[in-house]
Amino acid sequence: MRLSRYFLPVMKESPAEAQIVSHKLMLRAGLVRQQAAGIYAWLPLGTRVLKKIEQIVREEQDRAGAIELLMPTLQSADLWRESGRYDAYGPEMLRITDRHDREMLYGPTNEEMVTAIFRDAARSYRDLPRILYHIQWKFRDETRPRFGVMRGREFLMKDAYSFDLDEAGARHSYNRMFVAYLNTFARMGLRAIPMQADTGPIGGDLSHEFIVLAPTGESDVFYHKNWEQPAELRSVDFEDVAGLQAIVGGYTKDYAATDEKRDEAAEAAASDDLRQSRGVEVGHIFYFGKKYSAAMGVKVQGPDGSEVVPEMGSYGIGVSRLMGAIIEASHDDKGIIWPDSVAPFQVGLINMRADDAACKAASDDLYAKLQAAGVEVLYDDRDERGGAKFATMDLIGLPWQIVVGPKGLANGIVELKRRATDERVEVSPEDAVAKVSAK
Ligand code: 5CA
Protein backbone atom coordinates (compact mmCIF):
# COMPACT_ATOMS: atom_id res chain seq x y z
CA MET A 1 0.00 0.00 0.00
CA ARG A 2 1.31 3.43 -0.95
CA LEU A 3 0.87 5.90 1.89
CA SER A 4 0.21 8.66 -0.68
CA ARG A 5 -3.01 6.82 -1.58
CA TYR A 6 -3.89 5.41 1.84
CA PHE A 7 -6.24 6.80 4.47
CA LEU A 8 -4.16 7.27 7.61
CA PRO A 9 -5.13 10.34 9.63
CA VAL A 10 -2.44 10.47 12.35
CA MET A 11 -2.34 13.08 15.13
CA LYS A 12 0.79 14.68 16.58
CA GLU A 13 -0.74 15.55 19.94
CA SER A 14 -2.59 13.35 22.39
CA PRO A 15 -6.32 14.03 22.19
CA ALA A 16 -7.76 15.45 25.42
CA GLU A 17 -10.60 12.88 25.46
CA ALA A 18 -8.20 9.96 26.03
CA GLN A 19 -6.93 9.03 29.50
CA ILE A 20 -5.00 5.81 29.00
CA VAL A 21 -2.09 5.18 26.68
CA SER A 22 -3.80 2.64 24.42
CA HIS A 23 -6.73 4.97 23.77
CA LYS A 24 -4.39 7.87 23.03
CA LEU A 25 -2.32 5.79 20.65
CA MET A 26 -5.35 4.29 18.89
CA LEU A 27 -6.56 7.81 18.09
CA ARG A 28 -3.12 9.20 17.25
CA ALA A 29 -2.15 6.28 15.01
CA GLY A 30 -5.39 6.56 13.04
CA LEU A 31 -6.86 3.21 14.11
CA VAL A 32 -10.29 4.37 15.32
CA ARG A 33 -12.52 7.41 15.60
CA GLN A 34 -15.35 7.77 18.10
CA GLN A 35 -18.80 8.19 16.54
CA ALA A 36 -20.86 8.34 19.76
CA ALA A 37 -20.10 7.46 23.40
CA GLY A 38 -18.52 3.99 23.33
CA ILE A 39 -19.12 3.54 19.60
CA TYR A 40 -16.17 3.58 17.21
CA ALA A 41 -15.50 3.61 13.50
CA TRP A 42 -12.55 1.38 12.62
CA LEU A 43 -10.28 3.21 10.20
CA PRO A 44 -8.33 1.21 7.59
CA LEU A 45 -5.26 0.57 9.76
CA GLY A 46 -7.40 -0.42 12.76
CA THR A 47 -9.54 -2.66 10.56
CA ARG A 48 -6.44 -4.57 9.44
CA VAL A 49 -5.38 -5.20 13.06
CA LEU A 50 -8.91 -6.18 14.09
CA LYS A 51 -9.02 -8.77 11.28
CA LYS A 52 -5.65 -10.19 12.35
CA ILE A 53 -6.81 -10.56 15.95
CA GLU A 54 -10.07 -12.09 14.76
CA GLN A 55 -8.21 -14.60 12.59
CA ILE A 56 -5.98 -15.78 15.45
CA VAL A 57 -9.07 -16.22 17.63
CA ARG A 58 -10.78 -18.16 14.80
CA GLU A 59 -7.81 -20.46 14.15
CA GLU A 60 -7.49 -21.39 17.83
CA GLN A 61 -11.24 -21.98 18.17
CA ASP A 62 -11.16 -24.26 15.13
CA ARG A 63 -8.10 -26.09 16.46
CA ALA A 64 -9.93 -26.76 19.74
CA GLY A 65 -12.84 -28.31 17.83
CA ALA A 66 -15.32 -25.43 17.88
CA ILE A 67 -17.47 -24.76 14.79
CA GLU A 68 -18.07 -21.29 13.38
CA LEU A 69 -21.50 -19.89 12.51
CA LEU A 70 -22.82 -16.35 12.33
CA MET A 71 -25.85 -15.15 14.28
CA PRO A 72 -27.45 -11.72 13.79
CA THR A 73 -26.90 -8.68 15.99
CA LEU A 74 -30.65 -8.04 16.34
CA GLN A 75 -32.70 -10.48 18.34
CA SER A 76 -36.34 -10.84 19.24
CA ALA A 77 -37.45 -10.03 22.81
CA ASP A 78 -39.55 -13.22 22.87
CA LEU A 79 -36.43 -15.33 22.72
CA TRP A 80 -35.18 -13.66 25.89
CA ARG A 81 -38.56 -14.06 27.61
CA GLU A 82 -38.09 -17.82 27.27
CA SER A 83 -35.02 -17.77 29.50
CA GLY A 84 -36.44 -15.10 31.80
CA ARG A 85 -33.56 -12.74 31.07
CA TYR A 86 -35.51 -10.10 29.12
CA ASP A 87 -36.60 -8.25 32.23
CA ALA A 88 -33.63 -9.30 34.35
CA TYR A 89 -31.00 -7.82 32.00
CA GLY A 90 -31.98 -4.25 32.84
CA PRO A 91 -30.91 -0.97 31.23
CA GLU A 92 -27.68 -2.41 29.77
CA MET A 93 -29.81 -3.96 27.04
CA LEU A 94 -30.59 -1.73 24.05
CA ARG A 95 -34.25 -2.33 23.31
CA ILE A 96 -35.67 -1.49 19.90
CA THR A 97 -39.18 -1.57 18.44
CA ASP A 98 -39.66 -2.30 14.75
CA ARG A 99 -42.37 -0.79 12.48
CA HIS A 100 -44.83 -3.54 13.45
CA ASP A 101 -44.32 -2.70 17.13
CA ARG A 102 -42.40 -5.90 17.66
CA GLU A 103 -39.93 -5.77 20.50
CA MET A 104 -36.37 -6.37 19.44
CA LEU A 105 -32.97 -5.90 21.04
CA TYR A 106 -29.37 -5.48 19.98
CA GLY A 107 -27.74 -8.62 21.37
CA PRO A 108 -25.46 -8.19 24.39
CA THR A 109 -24.67 -11.95 24.18
CA ASN A 110 -26.20 -15.01 22.45
CA GLU A 111 -27.01 -17.79 24.94
CA GLU A 112 -30.74 -17.69 24.12
CA MET A 113 -30.36 -17.60 20.36
CA VAL A 114 -27.81 -20.39 20.09
CA THR A 115 -29.83 -22.52 22.51
CA ALA A 116 -32.93 -22.08 20.32
CA ILE A 117 -30.98 -22.94 17.16
CA PHE A 118 -29.56 -26.05 18.80
CA ARG A 119 -32.94 -27.05 20.25
CA ASP A 120 -34.59 -26.94 16.84
CA ALA A 121 -31.91 -29.12 15.23
CA ALA A 122 -30.58 -31.60 17.80
CA ARG A 123 -32.42 -34.89 18.19
CA SER A 124 -30.16 -37.47 19.78
CA TYR A 125 -26.91 -38.03 21.66
CA ARG A 126 -25.18 -38.23 18.26
CA ASP A 127 -25.70 -34.49 17.90
CA LEU A 128 -23.53 -33.93 20.98
CA PRO A 129 -21.00 -32.80 22.02
CA ARG A 130 -20.81 -29.60 19.93
CA ILE A 131 -19.21 -26.21 20.46
CA LEU A 132 -20.63 -23.43 18.25
CA TYR A 133 -19.07 -19.98 18.04
CA HIS A 134 -19.35 -16.72 16.17
CA ILE A 135 -17.47 -13.45 16.01
CA GLN A 136 -20.07 -10.72 16.02
CA TRP A 137 -20.76 -7.20 17.27
CA LYS A 138 -22.48 -6.82 20.60
CA PHE A 139 -24.12 -3.87 22.27
CA ARG A 140 -24.21 -3.16 25.99
CA ASP A 141 -25.41 0.20 27.17
CA GLU A 142 -22.62 0.49 29.74
CA THR A 143 -23.12 3.21 32.38
CA ARG A 144 -19.54 4.37 31.93
CA PRO A 145 -18.14 3.59 28.50
CA ARG A 146 -14.49 4.60 28.74
CA PHE A 147 -10.90 4.01 27.76
CA GLY A 148 -11.79 3.79 24.08
CA VAL A 149 -12.43 0.26 22.84
CA MET A 150 -11.60 -1.18 26.27
CA ARG A 151 -15.07 -0.52 27.58
CA GLY A 152 -17.19 0.26 24.57
CA ARG A 153 -20.92 0.08 24.11
CA GLU A 154 -20.64 -1.54 20.69
CA PHE A 155 -17.80 -4.08 20.67
CA LEU A 156 -16.66 -7.17 18.82
CA MET A 157 -16.82 -10.43 20.74
CA LYS A 158 -16.05 -14.04 20.00
CA ASP A 159 -18.65 -16.06 21.84
CA ALA A 160 -18.73 -19.84 21.90
CA TYR A 161 -21.37 -22.14 23.38
CA SER A 162 -20.94 -25.79 24.30
CA PHE A 163 -23.56 -28.55 24.45
CA ASP A 164 -22.75 -31.81 26.21
CA LEU A 165 -24.57 -34.93 27.39
CA ASP A 166 -23.24 -34.84 30.93
CA GLU A 167 -21.15 -32.90 33.39
CA ALA A 168 -17.91 -34.72 32.55
CA GLY A 169 -18.38 -33.85 28.90
CA ALA A 170 -19.11 -30.23 29.75
CA ARG A 171 -15.95 -30.12 31.82
CA HIS A 172 -13.97 -31.34 28.80
CA SER A 173 -15.53 -28.63 26.62
CA TYR A 174 -14.63 -26.07 29.27
CA ASN A 175 -11.06 -27.37 29.27
CA ARG A 176 -10.86 -27.15 25.47
CA MET A 177 -11.73 -23.48 25.63
CA PHE A 178 -9.47 -22.87 28.62
CA VAL A 179 -6.41 -24.15 26.75
CA ALA A 180 -7.48 -22.57 23.45
CA TYR A 181 -7.60 -19.22 25.24
CA LEU A 182 -4.08 -19.56 26.65
CA ASN A 183 -2.77 -20.25 23.14
CA THR A 184 -4.86 -17.49 21.55
CA PHE A 185 -3.49 -14.81 23.86
CA ALA A 186 0.08 -16.18 23.73
CA ARG A 187 0.03 -15.84 19.92
CA MET A 188 -0.69 -12.14 20.40
CA GLY A 189 2.29 -11.79 22.73
CA LEU A 190 0.07 -11.59 25.81
CA ARG A 191 0.39 -13.38 29.12
CA ALA A 192 -3.25 -13.78 30.17
CA ILE A 193 -3.76 -15.22 33.66
CA PRO A 194 -6.84 -17.40 34.20
CA MET A 195 -8.46 -16.22 37.42
CA GLN A 196 -11.36 -17.52 39.45
CA ALA A 197 -14.19 -15.15 38.71
CA ASP A 198 -17.79 -14.16 39.34
CA THR A 199 -20.44 -15.14 36.80
CA GLY A 200 -22.73 -12.07 36.89
CA PRO A 201 -25.77 -12.08 34.56
CA ILE A 202 -24.53 -15.13 32.59
CA GLY A 203 -24.88 -17.42 35.63
CA GLY A 204 -23.31 -20.73 36.68
CA ASP A 205 -20.73 -21.67 39.28
CA LEU A 206 -17.50 -22.49 37.44
CA SER A 207 -15.89 -19.52 35.75
CA HIS A 208 -12.51 -18.06 34.85
CA GLU A 209 -11.60 -14.62 33.66
CA PHE A 210 -8.46 -14.27 31.54
CA ILE A 211 -6.65 -11.19 32.71
CA VAL A 212 -3.75 -9.33 31.12
CA LEU A 213 -1.84 -7.37 33.75
CA ALA A 214 -1.80 -3.61 33.10
CA PRO A 215 -1.68 -0.72 35.58
CA THR A 216 -4.56 0.94 33.73
CA GLY A 217 -6.80 -2.16 33.84
CA GLU A 218 -10.24 -2.00 35.38
CA SER A 219 -10.01 -5.15 37.52
CA ASP A 220 -8.16 -5.51 40.82
CA VAL A 221 -6.38 -8.83 40.79
CA PHE A 222 -4.38 -11.01 43.19
CA TYR A 223 -2.02 -13.78 42.11
CA HIS A 224 0.98 -15.91 42.97
CA LYS A 225 4.28 -14.61 41.62
CA ASN A 226 4.71 -17.78 39.51
CA TRP A 227 2.34 -16.12 37.05
CA GLU A 228 4.97 -13.57 36.15
CA GLN A 229 6.72 -15.77 33.58
CA PRO A 230 6.25 -15.07 29.86
CA ALA A 231 3.45 -16.82 27.99
CA GLU A 232 4.19 -20.03 26.12
CA LEU A 233 2.38 -21.72 23.29
CA ARG A 234 1.31 -25.32 23.90
CA SER A 235 0.86 -28.02 21.35
CA VAL A 236 -1.99 -30.14 22.71
CA ASP A 237 -4.31 -32.94 21.72
CA PHE A 238 -7.74 -31.47 22.36
CA GLU A 239 -9.34 -34.95 22.19
CA ASP A 240 -7.24 -36.21 25.10
CA VAL A 241 -9.63 -35.72 28.03
CA ALA A 242 -7.18 -36.59 30.82
CA GLY A 243 -4.27 -34.77 29.20
CA LEU A 244 -6.28 -31.59 28.83
CA GLN A 245 -7.52 -31.82 32.42
CA ALA A 246 -3.89 -32.18 33.56
CA ILE A 247 -2.90 -29.02 31.68
CA VAL A 248 -5.79 -27.06 33.16
CA GLY A 249 -4.92 -28.47 36.59
CA GLY A 250 -1.35 -27.27 36.15
CA TYR A 251 -2.54 -23.82 35.20
CA THR A 252 -4.92 -23.49 38.11
CA LYS A 253 -2.65 -24.73 40.91
CA ASP A 254 -1.12 -21.29 41.53
CA TYR A 255 -3.49 -18.81 43.16
CA ALA A 256 -5.05 -16.12 40.96
CA ALA A 257 -8.36 -14.39 41.66
CA THR A 258 -10.25 -11.23 40.87
CA ASP A 259 -11.40 -8.89 43.63
CA GLU A 260 -14.80 -10.58 44.01
CA LYS A 261 -13.30 -14.06 44.41
CA ARG A 262 -10.45 -13.43 46.83
CA ASP A 263 -9.59 -16.33 49.09
CA GLU A 264 -8.03 -15.40 52.42
CA ALA A 265 -6.58 -18.84 53.11
CA ALA A 266 -4.95 -19.10 49.67
CA GLU A 267 -3.52 -15.62 50.04
CA ALA A 268 -2.10 -16.44 53.45
CA ALA A 269 -0.51 -19.57 52.01
CA ALA A 270 1.07 -17.59 49.16
CA SER A 271 2.47 -15.22 51.79
CA ASP A 272 5.40 -13.19 50.35
CA ASP A 273 4.72 -14.62 46.90
CA LEU A 274 1.34 -12.91 46.69
CA ARG A 275 1.15 -10.10 44.13
CA GLN A 276 -1.52 -7.47 43.64
CA SER A 277 -2.06 -5.60 40.41
CA ARG A 278 -4.65 -4.33 37.98
CA GLY A 279 -5.63 -6.06 34.80
CA VAL A 280 -7.73 -6.09 31.65
CA GLU A 281 -10.25 -8.90 31.23
CA VAL A 282 -9.74 -10.19 27.68
CA GLY A 283 -11.75 -13.39 28.04
CA HIS A 284 -14.31 -15.00 30.31
CA ILE A 285 -15.51 -18.59 30.35
CA PHE A 286 -18.54 -20.04 32.12
CA TYR A 287 -19.98 -23.45 32.89
CA PHE A 288 -23.64 -23.10 33.84
CA GLY A 289 -25.10 -26.57 33.42
CA LYS A 290 -28.77 -26.66 32.41
CA LYS A 291 -29.64 -23.03 33.13
CA TYR A 292 -30.65 -22.20 29.54
CA SER A 293 -31.26 -25.68 28.13
CA ALA A 294 -33.81 -26.51 30.87
CA ALA A 295 -35.53 -23.10 30.75
CA MET A 296 -35.82 -23.27 26.96
CA GLY A 297 -36.84 -26.94 26.75
CA VAL A 298 -33.86 -28.50 24.96
CA LYS A 299 -34.09 -32.29 24.99
CA VAL A 300 -32.27 -35.00 23.10
CA GLN A 301 -32.58 -38.74 23.18
CA GLY A 302 -29.75 -40.34 25.19
CA PRO A 303 -27.91 -43.56 24.21
CA ASP A 304 -30.31 -45.61 26.38
CA GLY A 305 -33.42 -43.97 24.94
CA SER A 306 -34.04 -41.68 27.90
CA GLU A 307 -34.44 -37.92 27.53
CA VAL A 308 -31.38 -35.78 28.26
CA VAL A 309 -31.23 -32.03 28.88
CA PRO A 310 -27.79 -30.89 27.66
CA GLU A 311 -25.16 -29.31 29.87
CA MET A 312 -23.93 -25.96 28.59
CA GLY A 313 -21.15 -23.42 28.93
CA SER A 314 -20.30 -20.15 27.21
CA TYR A 315 -16.95 -18.67 26.37
CA GLY A 316 -16.25 -15.07 25.43
CA ILE A 317 -13.24 -13.17 24.08
CA GLY A 318 -13.22 -9.38 23.78
CA VAL A 319 -11.86 -9.14 20.23
CA SER A 320 -11.97 -5.35 19.95
CA ARG A 321 -10.85 -4.90 23.57
CA LEU A 322 -7.80 -7.03 22.79
CA MET A 323 -6.45 -4.30 20.53
CA GLY A 324 -6.33 -1.94 23.50
CA ALA A 325 -4.82 -4.64 25.73
CA ILE A 326 -2.07 -5.42 23.19
CA ILE A 327 -1.15 -1.74 22.93
CA GLU A 328 -1.13 -1.34 26.73
CA ALA A 329 1.33 -4.25 26.85
CA SER A 330 3.46 -3.18 23.88
CA HIS A 331 4.35 0.47 23.28
CA ASP A 332 7.00 3.06 24.09
CA ASP A 333 7.08 6.86 24.17
CA LYS A 334 7.21 7.00 20.36
CA GLY A 335 4.15 4.89 19.75
CA ILE A 336 2.80 1.37 19.28
CA ILE A 337 5.02 -1.71 18.93
CA TRP A 338 2.87 -4.33 17.21
CA PRO A 339 3.71 -8.00 17.76
CA ASP A 340 4.32 -9.50 14.28
CA SER A 341 1.20 -11.67 14.57
CA VAL A 342 -1.26 -8.75 14.63
CA ALA A 343 0.67 -5.96 12.87
CA PRO A 344 -1.37 -4.17 10.19
CA PHE A 345 1.63 -4.37 7.82
CA GLN A 346 4.91 -6.18 8.48
CA VAL A 347 7.11 -3.51 6.93
CA GLY A 348 7.15 0.26 6.61
CA LEU A 349 9.22 1.26 3.58
CA ILE A 350 10.45 4.85 3.84
CA ASN A 351 11.76 6.78 0.88
CA MET A 352 13.72 9.61 2.52
CA ARG A 353 13.86 11.70 -0.64
CA ALA A 354 10.78 11.44 -2.81
CA ASP A 355 12.26 14.13 -5.08
CA ASP A 356 15.42 12.14 -5.82
CA ALA A 357 15.18 9.96 -8.94
CA ALA A 358 17.58 7.26 -7.69
CA CYS A 359 15.85 7.00 -4.29
CA LYS A 360 12.47 6.80 -5.95
CA ALA A 361 13.58 4.10 -8.41
CA ALA A 362 15.21 2.01 -5.66
CA SER A 363 12.19 2.40 -3.33
CA ASP A 364 9.71 1.51 -6.09
CA ASP A 365 11.81 -1.54 -6.89
CA LEU A 366 11.94 -2.62 -3.23
CA TYR A 367 8.21 -2.10 -2.93
CA ALA A 368 7.58 -4.38 -5.92
CA LYS A 369 9.97 -7.05 -4.59
CA LEU A 370 8.43 -7.01 -1.10
CA GLN A 371 4.98 -7.41 -2.57
CA ALA A 372 6.17 -10.21 -4.83
CA ALA A 373 7.59 -11.95 -1.74
CA GLY A 374 4.14 -11.75 -0.13
CA VAL A 375 5.19 -9.22 2.52
CA GLU A 376 2.57 -6.74 3.68
CA VAL A 377 4.22 -3.38 3.18
CA LEU A 378 3.19 0.22 3.74
CA TYR A 379 5.30 2.39 1.44
CA ASP A 380 5.81 5.99 2.52
CA ASP A 381 6.28 7.51 -0.95
CA ARG A 382 5.01 10.95 0.11
CA ASP A 383 6.91 14.16 -0.48
CA GLU A 384 7.50 14.89 3.23
CA ARG A 385 10.42 15.54 5.55
CA GLY A 386 12.32 12.46 6.69
CA GLY A 387 11.73 13.35 10.35
CA ALA A 388 7.97 13.38 9.92
CA LYS A 389 8.10 10.04 8.12
CA PHE A 390 10.12 8.43 10.92
CA ALA A 391 7.73 9.79 13.54
CA THR A 392 4.71 8.39 11.70
CA MET A 393 6.32 4.97 11.24
CA ASP A 394 7.33 4.77 14.91
CA LEU A 395 3.83 5.87 15.96
CA ILE A 396 2.01 3.22 13.91
CA GLY A 397 4.49 0.59 15.13
CA LEU A 398 5.08 -1.75 12.18
CA PRO A 399 7.61 -4.47 13.17
CA TRP A 400 10.18 -3.55 10.48
CA GLN A 401 11.26 -0.31 8.82
CA ILE A 402 13.34 -0.14 5.66
CA VAL A 403 14.84 3.29 5.02
CA VAL A 404 16.06 4.27 1.56
CA GLY A 405 18.29 7.39 1.50
CA PRO A 406 20.68 8.91 -1.04
CA LYS A 407 23.90 8.29 0.94
CA GLY A 408 23.31 4.61 1.59
CA LEU A 409 22.05 4.04 -1.89
CA ALA A 410 25.30 5.38 -3.37
CA ASN A 411 26.95 2.42 -1.58
CA GLY A 412 24.20 -0.04 -2.49
CA ILE A 413 22.69 -0.23 1.00
CA VAL A 414 19.48 0.55 2.85
CA GLU A 415 18.81 0.67 6.59
CA LEU A 416 16.74 -2.06 8.19
CA LYS A 417 15.31 -1.26 11.63
CA ARG A 418 13.47 -3.49 14.08
CA ARG A 419 10.84 -1.30 15.78
CA ALA A 420 10.76 -3.27 19.06
CA THR A 421 14.49 -3.08 19.80
CA ASP A 422 15.53 -0.08 17.69
CA GLU A 423 18.27 -2.34 16.31
CA ARG A 424 19.47 -1.04 12.92
CA VAL A 425 21.58 -2.77 10.30
CA GLU A 426 22.83 -1.63 6.92
CA VAL A 427 22.11 -4.24 4.29
CA SER A 428 21.65 -4.59 0.55
CA PRO A 429 18.04 -4.19 -0.65
CA GLU A 430 18.00 -7.92 -1.49
CA ASP A 431 19.07 -8.85 2.04
CA ALA A 432 16.43 -6.53 3.49
CA VAL A 433 13.73 -8.35 1.52
CA ALA A 434 15.12 -11.74 2.58
CA LYS A 435 15.30 -10.72 6.24
CA VAL A 436 11.72 -9.41 6.52
CA SER A 437 10.22 -12.29 4.55
CA ALA A 438 11.92 -14.95 6.71
CA LYS A 439 9.25 -16.58 8.86
N1 5CA B 1 -21.85 -14.90 27.04
C1 5CA B 1 -20.67 -14.76 27.83
C2 5CA B 1 -19.55 -15.54 27.27
S1 5CA B 1 -19.65 -15.73 25.57
C3 5CA B 1 -20.30 -13.29 27.96
O1 5CA B 1 -20.96 -12.45 27.42
N2 5CA B 1 -19.24 -13.02 28.72
S2 5CA B 1 -18.70 -11.58 29.12
O2 5CA B 1 -19.77 -10.73 29.52
O3 5CA B 1 -17.69 -11.79 30.10
O4 5CA B 1 -18.03 -10.95 27.85
C4 5CA B 1 -17.00 -11.63 27.18
C5 5CA B 1 -15.82 -10.72 26.93
O5 5CA B 1 -16.23 -9.60 26.14
C6 5CA B 1 -15.21 -10.11 28.16
O6 5CA B 1 -14.27 -10.97 28.75
C7 5CA B 1 -14.54 -8.87 27.61
O7 5CA B 1 -13.24 -9.17 27.11
C8 5CA B 1 -15.44 -8.47 26.45
N3 5CA B 1 -16.32 -7.34 26.83
C9 5CA B 1 -17.36 -7.35 27.68
N4 5CA B 1 -17.91 -6.13 27.79
C10 5CA B 1 -17.18 -5.31 26.98
C11 5CA B 1 -17.24 -3.92 26.65
N5 5CA B 1 -18.18 -3.14 27.17
N6 5CA B 1 -16.33 -3.42 25.78
C12 5CA B 1 -15.39 -4.22 25.24
N7 5CA B 1 -15.28 -5.54 25.50
C13 5CA B 1 -16.16 -6.08 26.37
Side-chain angles (χ1 to χ4, degrees):
M1 177 59 64
R2 284 174 180 268
L3 195 43
S4 62
R5 295 184 201 156
Y6 202 44
F7 188 78
L8 181 66
V10 296
M11 299 175 187
K12 272 215 189 84
E13 306 298 328
S14 274
E17 70 198 81
Q19 293 153 23
I20 62 170
V21 67
S22 58
H23 189 195
K24 288 180 186 159
L25 287 172
M26 286 186 74
L27 293 169
R28 287 190 55 212
L31 300 174
V32 291
R33 287 292 181 266
Q34 183 172 300
Q35 302 307 305
I39 301 179
Y40 289 85
W42 297 81
L43 301 187
L45 202 69
T47 302
R48 289 182 76 102
V49 180
L50 196 63
K51 301 258 178 229
K52 293 260 170 97
I53 295 174
E54 201 180 309
Q55 187 54 24
I56 292 176
V57 171
R58 175 175 291 117
E59 285 169 15
E60 295 305 322
Q61 288 293 294
D62 294 349
R63 203 190 305 278
I67 311 159
E68 187 171 13
L69 80 170
L70 184 57
M71 293 177 272
T73 54
L74 295 184
Q75 307 187 21
S76 116
D78 287 342
L79 198 52
W80 284 64
R81 290 202 172 94
E82 286 190 47
S83 70
R85 274 208 297 183
Y86 187 62
D87 294 323
Y89 217 94
E92 250 192 33
M93 179 184 274
L94 181 65
R95 296 158 206 258
I96 307 162
T97 316
D98 74 8
R99 63 164 72 194
H100 304 293
D101 271 342
R102 273 188 291 252
E103 291 172 280
M104 312 283 292
L105 57 102
Y106 194 129
T109 176
N110 281 64
E111 279 82 4
E112 283 77 358
M113 188 177 285
V114 77
T115 303
I117 290 171
F118 190 79
R119 175 188 61 199
D120 296 345
R123 293 284 162 266
S124 86
Y125 64 93
R126 289 185 208 89
D127 298 318
L128 294 104
R130 293 289 186 276
I131 304 178
L132 300 174
Y133 78 95
H134 73 162
I135 301 175
Q136 178 62 292
W137 295 92
K138 303 289 185 292
F139 194 94
R140 291 182 186 174
D141 205 349
E142 302 271 354
T143 20
R144 283 191 69 196
R146 57 179 186 155
F147 300 158
V149 301
M150 289 284 206
R151 182 163 296 279
R153 291 199 299 164
E154 189 186 46
F155 59 96
L156 190 59
M157 192 200 284
K158 182 287 298 181
D159 37 325
Y161 303 88
S162 62
F163 299 87
D164 280 274
L165 274 181
D166 54 26
E167 204 183 322
R171 179 76 212 200
H172 181 49
S173 293
Y174 188 90
N175 289 347
R176 282 181 195 263
M177 289 294 117
F178 190 108
V179 176
Y181 277 31
L182 292 172
N183 283 346
T184 302
F185 302 130
R187 280 184 65 186
M188 299 172 192
L190 296 173
R191 156 59 101 189
I193 308 179
M195 303 203 178
Q196 294 168 39
D198 245 5
T199 55
I202 309 292
D205 43 26
L206 172 62
S207 176
H208 285 91
E209 280 180 17
F210 289 76
I211 304 265
V212 175
L213 300 179
T216 49
E218 289 192 290
S219 316
D220 271 313
V221 296
F222 304 84
Y223 57 94
H224 191 279
K225 79 164 189 327
N226 286 353
W227 283 113
E228 286 167 349
Q229 317 135 18
E232 50 173 331
L233 211 60
R234 282 184 162 270
S235 137
V236 289
D237 175 2
F238 282 97
E239 307 309 320
D240 177 0
V241 176
L244 215 53
Q245 179 59 47
I247 293 172
V248 172
Y251 270 100
T252 45
K253 75 178 190 316
D254 290 321
Y255 177 69
T258 56
D259 208 12
E260 307 84 43
K261 284 280 179 180
R262 287 181 74 175
D263 175 343
E264 268 180 39
E267 293 192 3
S271 169
D272 285 351
D273 292 338
L274 183 71
R275 298 285 179 273
Q276 170 169 10
S277 177
R278 296 183 72 81
V280 179
E281 179 201 320
V282 289
H284 198 163
I285 60 178
F286 305 81
Y287 163 61
F288 43 69
K290 301 179 175 159
K291 178 176 169 177
Y292 299 92
S293 46
M296 296 180 68
V298 189
K299 290 181 206 109
V300 297
Q301 196 178 47
D304 59 0
S306 64
E307 244 176 26
V308 181
V309 178
E311 295 272 334
M312 288 179 62
S314 76
Y315 315 90
I317 289 184
V319 175
S320 48
R321 174 179 286 184
L322 268 169
M323 200 178 310
I326 292 167
I327 296 172
E328 288 292 327
S330 188
H331 67 270
D332 61 16
D333 53 0
K334 298 196 185 83
I336 301 167
I337 303 172
W338 290 118
D340 298 60
S341 59
V342 300
F345 296 92
Q346 293 309 309
V347 178
L349 171 63
I350 301 178
N351 178 3
M352 289 292 286
R353 291 280 304 275
D355 56 353
D356 179 286
C359 282
K360 184 176 178 306
S363 301
D364 283 354
D365 187 51
L366 252 175
Y367 180 51
K369 291 198 168 110
L370 287 164
Q371 285 187 307
V375 177
E376 295 167 305
V377 49
L378 183 63
Y379 172 19
D380 193 345
D381 58 341
R382 298 169 310 158
D383 193 5
E384 287 265 354
R385 284 183 311 108
K389 292 190 174 190
F390 287 139
T392 299
M393 273 308 170
D394 282 347
L395 174 63
I396 67 171
L398 309 182
W400 297 102
Q401 296 174 12
I402 301 176
V403 185
V404 180
K407 266 198 229 129
L409 211 54
N411 300 313
I413 54 164
V414 296
E415 188 182 79
L416 177 65
K417 169 176 143 177
R418 184 77 179 154
R419 172 69 178 91
T421 56
D422 204 34
E423 194 185 321
R424 298 147 199 255
V425 285
E426 298 196 324
V427 291
S428 68
E430 293 69 32
D431 284 352
V433 175
K435 187 87 202 268
V436 299
S437 29
K439 281 276 174 293

